[in-house]
Structures are given as structure tokens and as C-alpha cells.
């Protein structure tokens, strides 16, 4: 494994004064990039989107608030979909909203609530080429939609523990994706691998049979390596602490290493 060295570290303060009211949260939920216009977008939990035109100056170009039928929602996902040139935001309550920009002025032209997933959304992630969107619903289904919002496929999944965290990650070529979730039946957190047709191809496991095959201490954070060779996930083991574990795309456990972090740390994993 290669050692990573920090060569430089730069930070800027975002100009957000005056953008928030008493009812809006200033907690950042997601960031999206539009490299064609050297622009990035910041999504706040309350549904406020702020567009910044320059990566260095960081001056706001515009802001827009996603609030439908007077209801505040918990917004967690934001992507700039290159194929449709629109921003797509998703809330925990199930709303999917798009922001279309006027290319001549660089300002929002239309804000649209394109759909609502009944029961809410646990996780969502775009295919690497933005042709489709995978949604894990709180109704225990796995849903695949096109970027024109047509349902391509939908399957039932094992009942997810209510309010538990769910994460998913695509393989770089878009052939497979991995999901980590906690099953309501036995309260065990498992990693499952699906192909793009939503067929279950593997479940994370140790070498062994029965209870010995179950991965222990899995936490709901994972990412696929870009070359698709393995999946990294966060795990905690009694007496060991935080670790990064690896499973192959066939689900077989492949090694781990320790993390020197405190018990209060939040672990985020991204492979390059």
C-alpha cells in the first residue's frame, strides 16, 4: 500500500452571511461541481443551495431554497448531472428535486420537485456516467431510475433496521455497486454487491461456514476501489478499535489495517 503525504493544505471561508433565516440550517450536507463553468454548489441540510462561481474567490453567484408545500426537509445529496446539465438534490423524506440553470445568465431558471419516494430515502448514488440513479428506500426496496426519471427496475431487499445508516458505492466502470446496511431481522450490518440489473452477486463474508463466515463489526461506510479490485469498509473490533477492512467483489474478506483514531472519530473512506 502506498504512503500518502500532504503536500499542501488550503482553506477558505465561505461567504454565507445573510443567507440563513431562523428556520434554515447552516450544516453542509453535500458539494457538487460543474467544471465546465468553473462552478461549485454547496447544499445545506435545510435545502439551501448556494452556487459559487470561482474556486479561489468563493463569491456566491446565487442561492435557492428547496422547500415544497411549506415543508422543511433533511437534504443530503447533491449532484450536477452532466448529461442533462441540471442539479439534482435528494432529501431523506423522499423528495427528488432539480435545478435547471439559464446558461446565458448562470442563474437558476427552474426549480422542480420531480418526484417523491413514499416512506423516504436511505441512500442514493448516481451511476458513474450519470445514466441512472440507484435509490435505497425506507420501504426496503432497491430502485433504479434513468436520468429522465423513468423506473428501470425495482427489487425488494432484506428489511433494513429503521433509521439506521445505509451507504453505497459504484465500481468505476459501473458494472457493479456495493451496499452496506443493517438487517432488521438480526441487527447485523452486511455488505452486498449487485450488478447494474439489480441482481445480487455477492455478500461480504469471511472464509468459513455458518457464524464464522459473518463479518463482525462492520460500520455503514464503504467505497469501491476505482479499478474494481476490492471494496473498503469501516469496522470496529473489541480490543482492536477502528480498522479499514477489504472485501473482494466476490464478497470474500481480504485483509484489514488499523486506524489510529479516537473512539469519537467519524470515519470517511474514499479510495483513489
Amino acid at each position: 500500500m502506498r504512503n500518502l503525504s500532504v503536500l499542501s493544505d488550503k482553506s477558505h471561508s465561505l461567504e454565507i452571511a445573510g443567507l440563513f433565516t431562523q428556520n434554515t440550517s447552516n450544516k453542509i450536507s453535500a458539494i457538487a461541481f460543474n467544471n465546465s463553468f468553473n462552478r461549485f454548489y454547496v447544499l445545506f441540510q435545510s435545502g439551501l443551495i448556494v452556487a459559487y462561481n470561482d474556486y479561489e474567490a468563493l463569491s456566491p453567484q446565487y442561492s435557492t431554497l428547496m422547500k415544497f408545500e411549506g415543508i422543511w426537509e433533511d437534504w443530503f445529496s447533491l449532484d450536477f448531472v452532466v448529461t442533462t446539465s441540471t442539479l439534482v438534490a435528494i432529501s431523506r423524506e423522499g423528495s427528488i428535486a432539480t435545478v435547471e440553470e439559464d446558461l446565458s445568465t448562470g442563474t437558476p431558471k427552474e426549480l422542480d420537485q420531480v418526484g417523491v419516494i413514499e416512506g423516504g430515502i436511505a441512500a442514493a448514488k448516481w451511476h458513474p456516467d450519470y445514466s441512472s440513479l440507484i435509490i435505497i428506500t425506507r420501504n426496503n426496496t432497491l430502485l433504479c431510475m434513468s436520468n429522465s426519471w423513468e423506473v428501470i427496475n425495482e427489487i425488494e431487499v432484506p428489511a433494513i433496521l429503521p433509521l439506521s445508516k445505509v451507504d453505497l458505492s459504484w465500481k468505476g466502470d459501473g458494472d457493479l455497486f456495493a451496499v452496506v446496511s443493517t438487517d432488521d431481522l438480526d441487527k447485523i450490518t452486511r455488505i452486498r454487491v449487485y450488478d447494474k440489473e439489480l441482481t445480487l452477486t455477492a455478500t461480504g463474508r469471511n472464509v468459513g461456514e455458518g457464524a464464522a463466515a459473518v463479518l463482525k463489526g462492520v460500520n455503514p461506510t464503504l467505497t469501491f476501489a476505482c479499478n474494481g479490485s476490492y471494496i473498503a469498509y469501516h469496522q470496529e473490533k473489541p480490543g482492536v478499535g477502528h480498522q479499514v477492512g477489504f472485501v473482494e467483489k466476490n464478497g470474500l474478506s481480504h485483509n484489514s489495517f488499523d486506524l489510529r483514531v479516537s473512539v469519537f472519530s467519524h470515519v470517511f473512506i474514499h479510495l483513489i
Side-chain angles (χ1 to χ4, degrees):
M1 181 164 297
R2 298 177 181 176
N3 293 322
L4 301 179
S5 299
V6 177
L7 300 180
S8 64
D9 187 4
K10 182 186 293 186
S11 62
H12 293 276
S13 296
L14 297 177
E15 295 181 22
I16 58 176
L19 296 175
F20 298 95
T21 66
Q22 185 176 1
N23 294 321
T24 56
S25 168
N26 62 355
K27 179 181 178 181
I28 294 176
S29 294
I31 297 174
F33 293 89
N34 178 354
N35 292 322
S36 299
F37 290 91
N38 196 33
R39 177 178 294 176
F40 72 98
Y41 312 86
V42 179
L43 171 68
F44 295 88
Q45 187 177 14
S46 59
L48 181 70
I49 296 176
V50 184
Y52 293 87
N53 247 5
D54 189 296
Y55 296 154
E56 295 295 330
L58 296 182
S59 56
Q61 171 71 8
Y62 69 81
S63 65
T64 186
L65 179 64
M66 293 176 296
K67 186 180 179 184
F68 302 101
E69 299 180 358
I71 299 174
W72 294 101
E73 299 182 59
D74 179 1
W75 297 86
F76 72 96
S77 174
L78 182 69
D79 287 273
F80 180 79
V81 180
V82 178
T83 52
T84 60
S85 297
T86 56
L87 279 170
V88 178
I90 300 172
S91 78
R92 297 288 181 196
E93 289 76 8
S95 288
I96 302 173
T98 60
V99 180
E100 183 180 352
E101 290 183 331
D102 187 322
L103 298 181
S104 61
T105 63
T107 57
K109 182 170 64 174
E110 185 177 359
L111 173 62
D112 185 23
Q113 186 183 32
V114 296
V116 178
I117 303 297
E118 189 174 344
I121 295 174
K125 196 67 64 73
W126 284 94
H127 187 278
D129 68 4
Y130 291 98
S131 61
S132 60
L133 175 67
I134 292 293
I135 296 173
I136 302 171
T137 77
R138 286 297 180 187
N139 290 325
N140 303 312
T141 62
L142 191 57
L143 176 66
C144 180
M145 302 184 74
S146 71
N147 57 22
S148 57
W149 309 117
E150 298 170 343
V151 175
I152 299 173
N153 199 1
E154 185 174 13
I155 63 168
E156 293 185 355
V157 296
I160 300 170
L161 182 69
L163 302 181
S164 63
K165 183 183 175 185
V166 179
D167 196 14
L168 69 96
S169 177
W170 280 96
K171 184 167 169 276
D173 62 8
D175 284 342
L176 300 170
F177 63 93
V179 176
V180 58
S181 60
T182 304
D183 292 348
D184 191 31
L185 181 63
D186 55 14
K187 310 301 185 288
I188 293 176
T189 302
R190 291 182 171 88
I191 298 170
R192 295 180 172 91
V193 181
Y194 297 85
D195 64 21
K196 57 186 178 182
E197 282 76 37
L198 308 190
T199 300
L200 178 66
T201 64
T203 300
R205 67 192 188 282
N206 292 313
V207 176
E209 300 294 333
V214 177
L215 294 176
K216 300 294 195 304
V218 177
N219 282 338
T221 299
L222 89 173
T223 188
F224 235 119
C226 291
N227 63 8
S229 57
Y230 50 82
I231 302 159
Y233 65 95
H234 175 217
Q235 65 182 7
E236 290 182 77
K237 291 185 177 180
V240 178
H242 294 272
Q243 292 183 317
V244 173
F246 298 93
V247 294
E248 298 175 18
K249 60 185 179 182
N250 63 6
L252 191 62
S253 180
H254 187 70
N255 214 335
S256 64
F257 65 86
D258 297 342
L259 290 175
R260 289 178 290 180
V261 296
S262 74
V263 295
F264 302 105
S265 298
H266 175 75
V267 177
F268 173 80
I269 301 174
H270 182 68
L271 297 180
I272 56 176

